[in-house]
Amino acid sequence: NAGVTQTPKFQVLKTGQSMTLQCAQDMNHEYMSWYRQDPGMGLRLIHYSVGAGITDQGEVPNGYNVSRSTTEDFPLRLLSAAPSQTSVYFCASTYPDLRGEAFFGQGTRLTVV
Amino acid sequence: EDKVVQSPLSLVVHEGDTVTLNCSYEVTNFRSLLWYKQEKKAPTFLFMLTSSGIEKKSGRLSSILDKKELSSILNITATQTGDSAIYLCAVEPFFQGAQKLVFGQGTRLTINP
């Protein structure tokens, strides 16, 4: 069971570059989310999806785009990287019957210089 | 705005001690409260608590929700070095689901031998 897989694990970008963080799950979960984790701030929701073709913004969406063309994949795009986007990014998935329990990927540590 | 606050932010104890971690929340429509353990990478699920007030236990860990005080505690007895981690508290708002968890800042617990 792979669970939730994120790639890459580490990435260094220059300011202004764009990139896509990949997230895939093999549990047939309807719900998927992206969070960022910064020191002393816990996890903050960036974007989420309740099914293929349906996405919405979370608490901190600026500078990020998402799409959900399949149930399995939920990529996060950084349009023009900024140093403020230096963070650890987590993808999570779940489905309604789990009543709150989310499964997390191993995270992507992104540094923008 | 939904909010979750954890205390203390950091705690250092000796192996064998008992610790209590706190989580308080302000949520417009509460559905459940979740505790996660984060060692080096992905948060892993510990407990889900609802307004029923039923205590949850797993080995040396236990947790309960106080719906009047809008808070929860996580107890760890006879601590071991393997309990060292960041403990995250999150709230699942009603009608929004587990794809929109609201997290606290986390408590960094260090167990010294």
PDB file of all heavy atoms in Angstrom, chain A residues 10-45:
ATOM      1  N   PHE A  10      12.579  17.078  -1.894  1.00  0.00           N
ATOM      2  CA  PHE A  10      13.296  18.337  -1.671  1.00  0.00           C
ATOM      3  C   PHE A  10      13.366  19.098  -2.989  1.00  0.00           C
ATOM      4  O   PHE A  10      13.475  18.489  -4.052  1.00  0.00           O
ATOM      5  CB  PHE A  10      14.730  18.095  -1.170  1.00  0.00           C
ATOM      6  CG  PHE A  10      14.807  17.310   0.101  1.00  0.00           C
ATOM      7  CD1 PHE A  10      14.972  15.946   0.076  1.00  0.00           C
ATOM      8  CD2 PHE A  10      14.711  17.951   1.322  1.00  0.00           C
ATOM      9  CE1 PHE A  10      15.053  15.213   1.243  1.00  0.00           C
ATOM     10  CE2 PHE A  10      14.786  17.233   2.500  1.00  0.00           C
ATOM     11  CZ  PHE A  10      14.949  15.858   2.460  1.00  0.00           C
ATOM     12  N   GLN A  11      13.343  20.429  -2.904  1.00  0.00           N
ATOM     13  CA  GLN A  11      13.453  21.248  -4.100  1.00  0.00           C
ATOM     14  C   GLN A  11      13.967  22.630  -3.728  1.00  0.00           C
ATOM     15  O   GLN A  11      13.518  23.198  -2.725  1.00  0.00           O
ATOM     16  CB  GLN A  11      12.102  21.375  -4.794  1.00  0.00           C
ATOM     17  CG  GLN A  11      12.127  22.156  -6.096  1.00  0.00           C
ATOM     18  CD  GLN A  11      12.816  21.407  -7.210  1.00  0.00           C
ATOM     19  OE1 GLN A  11      12.536  20.237  -7.461  1.00  0.00           O
ATOM     20  NE2 GLN A  11      13.742  22.069  -7.884  1.00  0.00           N
ATOM     21  N   VAL A  12      14.909  23.125  -4.523  1.00  0.00           N
ATOM     22  CA  VAL A  12      15.367  24.502  -4.368  1.00  0.00           C
ATOM     23  C   VAL A  12      15.015  25.248  -5.652  1.00  0.00           C
ATOM     24  O   VAL A  12      15.332  24.791  -6.750  1.00  0.00           O
ATOM     25  CB  VAL A  12      16.886  24.579  -4.120  1.00  0.00           C
ATOM     26  CG1 VAL A  12      17.328  26.035  -4.010  1.00  0.00           C
ATOM     27  CG2 VAL A  12      17.261  23.813  -2.851  1.00  0.00           C
ATOM     28  N   LEU A  13      14.348  26.373  -5.498  1.00  0.00           N
ATOM     29  CA  LEU A  13      13.947  27.188  -6.640  1.00  0.00           C
ATOM     30  C   LEU A  13      14.545  28.575  -6.520  1.00  0.00           C
ATOM     31  O   LEU A  13      14.788  29.061  -5.408  1.00  0.00           O
ATOM     32  CB  LEU A  13      12.429  27.334  -6.696  1.00  0.00           C
ATOM     33  CG  LEU A  13      11.571  26.167  -7.112  1.00  0.00           C
ATOM     34  CD1 LEU A  13      10.089  26.579  -7.073  1.00  0.00           C
ATOM     35  CD2 LEU A  13      11.934  25.694  -8.513  1.00  0.00           C
ATOM     36  N   LYS A  14      14.706  29.207  -7.660  1.00  0.00           N
ATOM     37  CA  LYS A  14      15.071  30.621  -7.646  1.00  0.00           C
ATOM     38  C   LYS A  14      13.789  31.452  -7.706  1.00  0.00           C
ATOM     39  O   LYS A  14      12.770  31.009  -8.265  1.00  0.00           O
ATOM     40  CB  LYS A  14      15.962  30.948  -8.837  1.00  0.00           C
ATOM     41  CG  LYS A  14      17.328  30.288  -8.768  1.00  0.00           C
ATOM     42  CD  LYS A  14      18.179  30.700  -9.953  1.00  0.00           C
ATOM     43  CE  LYS A  14      19.561  30.046  -9.861  1.00  0.00           C
ATOM     44  NZ  LYS A  14      20.411  30.399 -11.030  1.00  0.00           N
ATOM     45  N   THR A  15      13.843  32.618  -7.118  1.00  0.00           N
ATOM     46  CA  THR A  15      12.683  33.521  -7.154  1.00  0.00           C
ATOM     47  C   THR A  15      12.224  33.724  -8.594  1.00  0.00           C
ATOM     48  O   THR A  15      13.042  33.985  -9.485  1.00  0.00           O
ATOM     49  CB  THR A  15      13.056  34.871  -6.522  1.00  0.00           C
ATOM     50  OG1 THR A  15      13.403  34.648  -5.145  1.00  0.00           O
ATOM     51  CG2 THR A  15      11.897  35.838  -6.589  1.00  0.00           C
ATOM     52  N   GLY A  16      10.911  33.570  -8.795  1.00  0.00           N
ATOM     53  CA  GLY A  16      10.336  33.758 -10.116  1.00  0.00           C
ATOM     54  C   GLY A  16      10.146  32.476 -10.907  1.00  0.00           C
ATOM     55  O   GLY A  16       9.368  32.461 -11.877  1.00  0.00           O
ATOM     56  N   GLN A  17      10.804  31.409 -10.519  1.00  0.00           N
ATOM     57  CA  GLN A  17      10.626  30.140 -11.217  1.00  0.00           C
ATOM     58  C   GLN A  17       9.274  29.536 -10.869  1.00  0.00           C
ATOM     59  O   GLN A  17       8.685  29.832  -9.825  1.00  0.00           O
ATOM     60  CB  GLN A  17      11.745  29.152 -10.841  1.00  0.00           C
ATOM     61  CG  GLN A  17      13.085  29.476 -11.456  1.00  0.00           C
ATOM     62  CD  GLN A  17      14.126  28.404 -11.170  1.00  0.00           C
ATOM     63  OE1 GLN A  17      14.240  27.907 -10.047  1.00  0.00           O
ATOM     64  NE2 GLN A  17      14.897  28.058 -12.175  1.00  0.00           N
ATOM     65  N   SER A  18       8.811  28.661 -11.742  1.00  0.00           N
ATOM     66  CA  SER A  18       7.566  27.933 -11.475  1.00  0.00           C
ATOM     67  C   SER A  18       7.888  26.456 -11.341  1.00  0.00           C
ATOM     68  O   SER A  18       8.917  25.984 -11.842  1.00  0.00           O
ATOM     69  CB  SER A  18       6.575  28.170 -12.604  1.00  0.00           C
ATOM     70  OG  SER A  18       7.076  27.658 -13.822  1.00  0.00           O
ATOM     71  N   MET A  19       7.005  25.748 -10.648  1.00  0.00           N
ATOM     72  CA  MET A  19       7.171  24.305 -10.550  1.00  0.00           C
ATOM     73  C   MET A  19       5.862  23.674 -10.083  1.00  0.00           C
ATOM     74  O   MET A  19       4.958  24.384  -9.613  1.00  0.00           O
ATOM     75  CB  MET A  19       8.294  23.929  -9.597  1.00  0.00           C
ATOM     76  CG  MET A  19       7.954  23.998  -8.132  1.00  0.00           C
ATOM     77  SD  MET A  19       9.034  22.983  -7.105  1.00  0.00           S
ATOM     78  CE  MET A  19       8.650  21.331  -7.646  1.00  0.00           C
ATOM     79  N   THR A  20       5.797  22.359 -10.207  1.00  0.00           N
ATOM     80  CA  THR A  20       4.630  21.599  -9.779  1.00  0.00           C
ATOM     81  C   THR A  20       5.040  20.562  -8.757  1.00  0.00           C
ATOM     82  O   THR A  20       5.970  19.786  -9.002  1.00  0.00           O
ATOM     83  CB  THR A  20       3.940  20.906 -10.967  1.00  0.00           C
ATOM     84  OG1 THR A  20       3.511  21.906 -11.905  1.00  0.00           O
ATOM     85  CG2 THR A  20       2.747  20.104 -10.499  1.00  0.00           C
ATOM     86  N   LEU A  21       4.352  20.575  -7.614  1.00  0.00           N
ATOM     87  CA  LEU A  21       4.516  19.527  -6.614  1.00  0.00           C
ATOM     88  C   LEU A  21       3.468  18.460  -6.905  1.00  0.00           C
ATOM     89  O   LEU A  21       2.275  18.761  -7.031  1.00  0.00           O
ATOM     90  CB  LEU A  21       4.308  20.087  -5.201  1.00  0.00           C
ATOM     91  CG  LEU A  21       5.478  20.815  -4.531  1.00  0.00           C
ATOM     92  CD1 LEU A  21       5.880  22.043  -5.315  1.00  0.00           C
ATOM     93  CD2 LEU A  21       5.107  21.189  -3.100  1.00  0.00           C
ATOM     94  N   GLN A  22       3.937  17.224  -6.983  1.00  0.00           N
ATOM     95  CA  GLN A  22       3.028  16.142  -7.332  1.00  0.00           C
ATOM     96  C   GLN A  22       2.500  15.444  -6.083  1.00  0.00           C
ATOM     97  O   GLN A  22       3.194  15.305  -5.082  1.00  0.00           O
ATOM     98  CB  GLN A  22       3.733  15.113  -8.224  1.00  0.00           C
ATOM     99  CG  GLN A  22       4.289  15.671  -9.513  1.00  0.00           C
ATOM    100  CD  GLN A  22       3.208  16.084 -10.499  1.00  0.00           C
ATOM    101  OE1 GLN A  22       2.034  15.707 -10.370  1.00  0.00           O
ATOM    102  NE2 GLN A  22       3.589  16.875 -11.500  1.00  0.00           N
ATOM    103  N   CYS A  23       1.254  15.000  -6.163  1.00  0.00           N
ATOM    104  CA  CYS A  23       0.634  14.218  -5.096  1.00  0.00           C
ATOM    105  C   CYS A  23      -0.256  13.171  -5.725  1.00  0.00           C
ATOM    106  O   CYS A  23      -1.100  13.505  -6.576  1.00  0.00           O
ATOM    107  CB  CYS A  23      -0.180  15.112  -4.166  1.00  0.00           C
ATOM    108  SG  CYS A  23      -1.072  14.184  -2.894  1.00  0.00           S
ATOM    109  N   ALA A  24      -0.078  11.926  -5.310  1.00  0.00           N
ATOM    110  CA  ALA A  24      -0.910  10.833  -5.806  1.00  0.00           C
ATOM    111  C   ALA A  24      -1.302   9.933  -4.646  1.00  0.00           C
ATOM    112  O   ALA A  24      -0.496   9.678  -3.762  1.00  0.00           O
ATOM    113  CB  ALA A  24      -0.161  10.030  -6.863  1.00  0.00           C
ATOM    114  N   GLN A  25      -2.552   9.467  -4.671  1.00  0.00           N
ATOM    115  CA  GLN A  25      -3.007   8.514  -3.646  1.00  0.00           C
ATOM    116  C   GLN A  25      -3.677   7.334  -4.332  1.00  0.00           C
ATOM    117  O   GLN A  25      -4.321   7.478  -5.369  1.00  0.00           O
ATOM    118  CB  GLN A  25      -3.934   9.199  -2.627  1.00  0.00           C
ATOM    119  CG  GLN A  25      -5.114   9.949  -3.206  1.00  0.00           C
ATOM    120  CD  GLN A  25      -6.380   9.142  -3.362  1.00  0.00           C
ATOM    121  OE1 GLN A  25      -6.475   8.003  -2.886  1.00  0.00           O
ATOM    122  NE2 GLN A  25      -7.364   9.731  -4.029  1.00  0.00           N
ATOM    123  N   ASP A  26      -3.512   6.167  -3.704  1.00  0.00           N
ATOM    124  CA  ASP A  26      -4.044   4.938  -4.302  1.00  0.00           C
ATOM    125  C   ASP A  26      -5.136   4.325  -3.447  1.00  0.00           C
ATOM    126  O   ASP A  26      -5.367   3.117  -3.487  1.00  0.00           O
ATOM    127  CB  ASP A  26      -2.908   3.938  -4.535  1.00  0.00           C
ATOM    128  CG  ASP A  26      -2.212   3.527  -3.245  1.00  0.00           C
ATOM    129  OD1 ASP A  26      -2.578   4.044  -2.164  1.00  0.00           O
ATOM    130  OD2 ASP A  26      -1.286   2.702  -3.319  1.00  0.00           O
ATOM    131  N   MET A  27      -5.790   5.151  -2.633  1.00  0.00           N
ATOM    132  CA  MET A  27      -6.826   4.650  -1.713  1.00  0.00           C
ATOM    133  C   MET A  27      -8.232   5.003  -2.187  1.00  0.00           C
ATOM    134  O   MET A  27      -9.193   4.802  -1.451  1.00  0.00           O
ATOM    135  CB  MET A  27      -6.569   5.235  -0.316  1.00  0.00           C
ATOM    136  CG  MET A  27      -5.233   4.787   0.255  1.00  0.00           C
ATOM    137  SD  MET A  27      -4.807   5.600   1.808  1.00  0.00           S
ATOM    138  CE  MET A  27      -4.258   7.200   1.203  1.00  0.00           C
ATOM    139  N   ASN A  28      -8.332   5.559  -3.378  1.00  0.00           N
ATOM    140  CA  ASN A  28      -9.622   5.946  -3.954  1.00  0.00           C
ATOM    141  C   ASN A  28     -10.357   6.971  -3.076  1.00  0.00           C
ATOM    142  O   ASN A  28     -11.588   6.960  -2.983  1.00  0.00           O
ATOM    143  CB  ASN A  28     -10.509   4.720  -4.182  1.00  0.00           C
ATOM    144  CG  ASN A  28     -11.558   4.982  -5.245  1.00  0.00           C
ATOM    145  OD1 ASN A  28     -11.342   5.756  -6.177  1.00  0.00           O
ATOM    146  ND2 ASN A  28     -12.714   4.361  -5.113  1.00  0.00           N
ATOM    147  N   HIS A  29      -9.572   7.842  -2.430  1.00  0.00           N
ATOM    148  CA  HIS A  29     -10.166   8.872  -1.587  1.00  0.00           C
ATOM    149  C   HIS A  29     -10.736   9.998  -2.426  1.00  0.00           C
ATOM    150  O   HIS A  29     -10.085  10.488  -3.354  1.00  0.00           O
ATOM    151  CB  HIS A  29      -9.121   9.432  -0.626  1.00  0.00           C
ATOM    152  CG  HIS A  29      -8.786   8.508   0.491  1.00  0.00           C
ATOM    153  ND1 HIS A  29      -7.720   8.732   1.350  1.00  0.00           N
ATOM    154  CD2 HIS A  29      -9.363   7.365   0.913  1.00  0.00           C
ATOM    155  CE1 HIS A  29      -7.673   7.764   2.240  1.00  0.00           C
ATOM    156  NE2 HIS A  29      -8.655   6.920   1.994  1.00  0.00           N
ATOM    157  N   GLU A  30     -11.936  10.456  -2.054  1.00  0.00           N
ATOM    158  CA  GLU A  30     -12.550  11.569  -2.780  1.00  0.00           C
ATOM    159  C   GLU A  30     -11.879  12.897  -2.446  1.00  0.00           C
ATOM    160  O   GLU A  30     -11.731  13.760  -3.291  1.00  0.00           O
ATOM    161  CB  GLU A  30     -14.027  11.675  -2.417  1.00  0.00           C
ATOM    162  CG  GLU A  30     -14.866  10.479  -2.843  1.00  0.00           C
ATOM    163  CD  GLU A  30     -16.278  10.598  -2.275  1.00  0.00           C
ATOM    164  OE1 GLU A  30     -16.868  11.677  -2.422  1.00  0.00           O
ATOM    165  OE2 GLU A  30     -16.770   9.622  -1.695  1.00  0.00           O
ATOM    166  N   TYR A  31     -11.534  13.062  -1.164  1.00  0.00           N
ATOM    167  CA  TYR A  31     -11.056  14.364  -0.706  1.00  0.00           C
ATOM    168  C   TYR A  31      -9.532  14.399  -0.720  1.00  0.00           C
ATOM    169  O   TYR A  31      -8.878  13.484  -0.222  1.00  0.00           O
ATOM    170  CB  TYR A  31     -11.511  14.638   0.730  1.00  0.00           C
ATOM    171  CG  TYR A  31     -12.993  14.730   0.945  1.00  0.00           C
ATOM    172  CD1 TYR A  31     -13.515  14.710   2.235  1.00  0.00           C
ATOM    173  CD2 TYR A  31     -13.895  14.862  -0.107  1.00  0.00           C
ATOM    174  CE1 TYR A  31     -14.872  14.810   2.459  1.00  0.00           C
ATOM    175  CE2 TYR A  31     -15.250  14.958   0.112  1.00  0.00           C
ATOM    176  CZ  TYR A  31     -15.734  14.923   1.403  1.00  0.00           C
ATOM    177  OH  TYR A  31     -17.077  15.026   1.638  1.00  0.00           O
ATOM    178  N   MET A  32      -8.990  15.501  -1.229  1.00  0.00           N
ATOM    179  CA  MET A  32      -7.552  15.720  -1.170  1.00  0.00           C
ATOM    180  C   MET A  32      -7.287  17.179  -0.832  1.00  0.00           C
ATOM    181  O   MET A  32      -8.077  18.067  -1.185  1.00  0.00           O
ATOM    182  CB  MET A  32      -6.879  15.349  -2.501  1.00  0.00           C
ATOM    183  CG  MET A  32      -7.005  13.861  -2.835  1.00  0.00           C
ATOM    184  SD  MET A  32      -6.088  13.373  -4.301  1.00  0.00           S
ATOM    185  CE  MET A  32      -4.404  13.364  -3.670  1.00  0.00           C
ATOM    186  N   SER A  33      -6.159  17.400  -0.144  1.00  0.00           N
ATOM    187  CA  SER A  33      -5.845  18.754   0.336  1.00  0.00           C
ATOM    188  C   SER A  33      -4.348  19.002   0.265  1.00  0.00           C
ATOM    189  O   SER A  33      -3.564  18.055   0.337  1.00  0.00           O
ATOM    190  CB  SER A  33      -6.298  18.930   1.797  1.00  0.00           C
ATOM    191  OG  SER A  33      -7.641  18.548   1.991  1.00  0.00           O
ATOM    192  N   TRP A  34      -3.997  20.277   0.168  1.00  0.00           N
ATOM    193  CA  TRP A  34      -2.610  20.699   0.289  1.00  0.00           C
ATOM    194  C   TRP A  34      -2.484  21.632   1.484  1.00  0.00           C
ATOM    195  O   TRP A  34      -3.267  22.583   1.639  1.00  0.00           O
ATOM    196  CB  TRP A  34      -2.149  21.443  -0.961  1.00  0.00           C
ATOM    197  CG  TRP A  34      -1.687  20.548  -2.068  1.00  0.00           C
ATOM    198  CD1 TRP A  34      -2.363  20.216  -3.198  1.00  0.00           C
ATOM    199  CD2 TRP A  34      -0.422  19.893  -2.153  1.00  0.00           C
ATOM    200  NE1 TRP A  34      -1.598  19.384  -3.978  1.00  0.00           N
ATOM    201  CE2 TRP A  34      -0.402  19.170  -3.357  1.00  0.00           C
ATOM    202  CE3 TRP A  34       0.707  19.853  -1.332  1.00  0.00           C
ATOM    203  CZ2 TRP A  34       0.692  18.409  -3.762  1.00  0.00           C
ATOM    204  CZ3 TRP A  34       1.798  19.097  -1.727  1.00  0.00           C
ATOM    205  CH2 TRP A  34       1.784  18.387  -2.934  1.00  0.00           C
ATOM    206  N   TYR A  35      -1.464  21.360   2.316  1.00  0.00           N
ATOM    207  CA  TYR A  35      -1.151  22.202   3.465  1.00  0.00           C
ATOM    208  C   TYR A  35       0.316  22.634   3.362  1.00  0.00           C
ATOM    209  O   TYR A  35       1.140  21.942   2.791  1.00  0.00           O
ATOM    210  CB  TYR A  35      -1.318  21.442   4.782  1.00  0.00           C
ATOM    211  CG  TYR A  35      -2.723  20.999   5.100  1.00  0.00           C
ATOM    212  CD1 TYR A  35      -3.219  19.785   4.641  1.00  0.00           C
ATOM    213  CD2 TYR A  35      -3.555  21.787   5.886  1.00  0.00           C
ATOM    214  CE1 TYR A  35      -4.507  19.369   4.948  1.00  0.00           C
ATOM    215  CE2 TYR A  35      -4.842  21.387   6.205  1.00  0.00           C
ATOM    216  CZ  TYR A  35      -5.303  20.177   5.734  1.00  0.00           C
ATOM    217  OH  TYR A  35      -6.576  19.780   6.033  1.00  0.00           O
ATOM    218  N   ARG A  36       0.603  23.758   3.983  1.00  0.00           N
ATOM    219  CA  ARG A  36       1.989  24.133   4.187  1.00  0.00           C
ATOM    220  C   ARG A  36       2.260  24.238   5.680  1.00  0.00           C
ATOM    221  O   ARG A  36       1.368  24.606   6.454  1.00  0.00           O
ATOM    222  CB  ARG A  36       2.335  25.448   3.478  1.00  0.00           C
ATOM    223  CG  ARG A  36       1.551  26.661   3.884  1.00  0.00           C
ATOM    224  CD  ARG A  36       2.036  27.910   3.152  1.00  0.00           C
ATOM    225  NE  ARG A  36       3.339  28.365   3.634  1.00  0.00           N
ATOM    226  CZ  ARG A  36       4.028  29.361   3.081  1.00  0.00           C
ATOM    227  NH1 ARG A  36       3.556  30.000   2.023  1.00  0.00           N
ATOM    228  NH2 ARG A  36       5.198  29.720   3.588  1.00  0.00           N
ATOM    229  N   GLN A  37       3.474  23.874   6.061  1.00  0.00           N
ATOM    230  CA  GLN A  37       3.837  23.904   7.470  1.00  0.00           C
ATOM    231  C   GLN A  37       5.044  24.800   7.662  1.00  0.00           C
ATOM    232  O   GLN A  37       6.111  24.541   7.112  1.00  0.00           O
ATOM    233  CB  GLN A  37       4.145  22.490   7.992  1.00  0.00           C
ATOM    234  CG  GLN A  37       4.403  22.446   9.488  1.00  0.00           C
ATOM    235  CD  GLN A  37       4.567  21.039  10.007  1.00  0.00           C
ATOM    236  OE1 GLN A  37       5.069  20.155   9.322  1.00  0.00           O
ATOM    237  NE2 GLN A  37       4.139  20.799  11.245  1.00  0.00           N
ATOM    238  N   ASP A  38       4.864  25.833   8.442  1.00  0.00           N
ATOM    239  CA  ASP A  38       5.924  26.774   8.763  1.00  0.00           C
ATOM    240  C   ASP A  38       6.183  26.727  10.267  1.00  0.00           C
ATOM    241  O   ASP A  38       5.259  26.454  11.040  1.00  0.00           O
ATOM    242  CB  ASP A  38       5.533  28.190   8.341  1.00  0.00           C
ATOM    243  CG  ASP A  38       5.235  28.268   6.860  1.00  0.00           C
ATOM    244  OD1 ASP A  38       6.167  28.026   6.081  1.00  0.00           O
ATOM    245  OD2 ASP A  38       4.089  28.544   6.480  1.00  0.00           O
ATOM    246  N   PRO A  39       7.407  27.002  10.698  1.00  0.00           N
ATOM    247  CA  PRO A  39       7.744  26.923  12.126  1.00  0.00           C
ATOM    248  C   PRO A  39       6.793  27.766  12.975  1.00  0.00           C
ATOM    249  O   PRO A  39       6.553  28.937  12.682  1.00  0.00           O
ATOM    250  CB  PRO A  39       9.174  27.462  12.172  1.00  0.00           C
ATOM    251  CG  PRO A  39       9.716  27.192  10.814  1.00  0.00           C
ATOM    252  CD  PRO A  39       8.561  27.373   9.870  1.00  0.00           C
ATOM    253  N   GLY A  40       6.259  27.141  14.016  1.00  0.00           N
ATOM    254  CA  GLY A  40       5.405  27.851  14.960  1.00  0.00           C
ATOM    255  C   GLY A  40       4.000  28.148  14.469  1.00  0.00           C
ATOM    256  O   GLY A  40       3.233  28.826  15.152  1.00  0.00           O
ATOM    257  N   MET A  41       3.650  27.646  13.259  1.00  0.00           N
ATOM    258  CA  MET A  41       2.336  27.996  12.703  1.00  0.00           C
ATOM    259  C   MET A  41       1.491  26.786  12.370  1.00  0.00           C
ATOM    260  O   MET A  41       0.439  26.903  11.769  1.00  0.00           O
ATOM    261  CB  MET A  41       2.502  28.866  11.463  1.00  0.00           C
ATOM    262  CG  MET A  41       3.213  30.174  11.756  1.00  0.00           C
ATOM    263  SD  MET A  41       3.223  31.291  10.364  1.00  0.00           S
ATOM    264  CE  MET A  41       1.524  31.822  10.368  1.00  0.00           C
ATOM    265  N   GLY A  42       1.921  25.613  12.735  1.00  0.00           N
ATOM    266  CA  GLY A  42       1.130  24.437  12.419  1.00  0.00           C
ATOM    267  C   GLY A  42       0.981  24.244  10.921  1.00  0.00           C
ATOM    268  O   GLY A  42       1.797  24.710  10.128  1.00  0.00           O
ATOM    269  N   LEU A  43      -0.085  23.582  10.520  1.00  0.00           N
ATOM    270  CA  LEU A  43      -0.374  23.364   9.103  1.00  0.00           C
ATOM    271  C   LEU A  43      -1.485  24.305   8.672  1.00  0.00           C
ATOM    272  O   LEU A  43      -2.492  24.442   9.369  1.00  0.00           O
ATOM    273  CB  LEU A  43      -0.811  21.915   8.844  1.00  0.00           C
ATOM    274  CG  LEU A  43       0.275  20.858   8.675  1.00  0.00           C
ATOM    275  CD1 LEU A  43       0.927  20.537   9.996  1.00  0.00           C
ATOM    276  CD2 LEU A  43      -0.305  19.599   8.043  1.00  0.00           C
ATOM    277  N   ARG A  44      -1.304  24.917   7.522  1.00  0.00           N
ATOM    278  CA  ARG A  44      -2.324  25.825   6.986  1.00  0.00           C
ATOM    279  C   ARG A  44      -2.783  25.322   5.619  1.00  0.00           C
ATOM    280  O   ARG A  44      -1.968  24.948   4.786  1.00  0.00           O
ATOM    281  CB  ARG A  44      -1.782  27.250   6.887  1.00  0.00           C
ATOM    282  CG  ARG A  44      -1.521  27.910   8.241  1.00  0.00           C
ATOM    283  CD  ARG A  44      -1.043  29.335   8.071  1.00  0.00           C
ATOM    284  NE  ARG A  44       0.282  29.381   7.467  1.00  0.00           N
ATOM    285  CZ  ARG A  44       0.839  30.490   6.985  1.00  0.00           C
ATOM    286  NH1 ARG A  44       0.180  31.641   7.016  1.00  0.00           N
ATOM    287  NH2 ARG A  44       2.051  30.469   6.469  1.00  0.00           N
ATOM    288  N   LEU A  45      -4.089  25.363   5.411  1.00  0.00           N
ATOM    289  CA  LEU A  45      -4.687  24.818   4.207  1.00  0.00           C
ATOM    290  C   LEU A  45      -4.493  25.764   3.026  1.00  0.00           C
ATOM    291  O   LEU A  45      -4.826  26.945   3.105  1.00  0.00           O
ATOM    292  CB  LEU A  45      -6.179  24.570   4.444  1.00  0.00           C
ATOM    293  CG  LEU A  45      -6.969  23.953   3.319  1.00  0.00           C
ATOM    294  CD1 LEU A  45      -6.508  22.521   3.052  1.00  0.00           C
ATOM    295  CD2 LEU A  45      -8.461  23.957   3.665  1.00  0.00           C
TER     296      LEU A  45
END
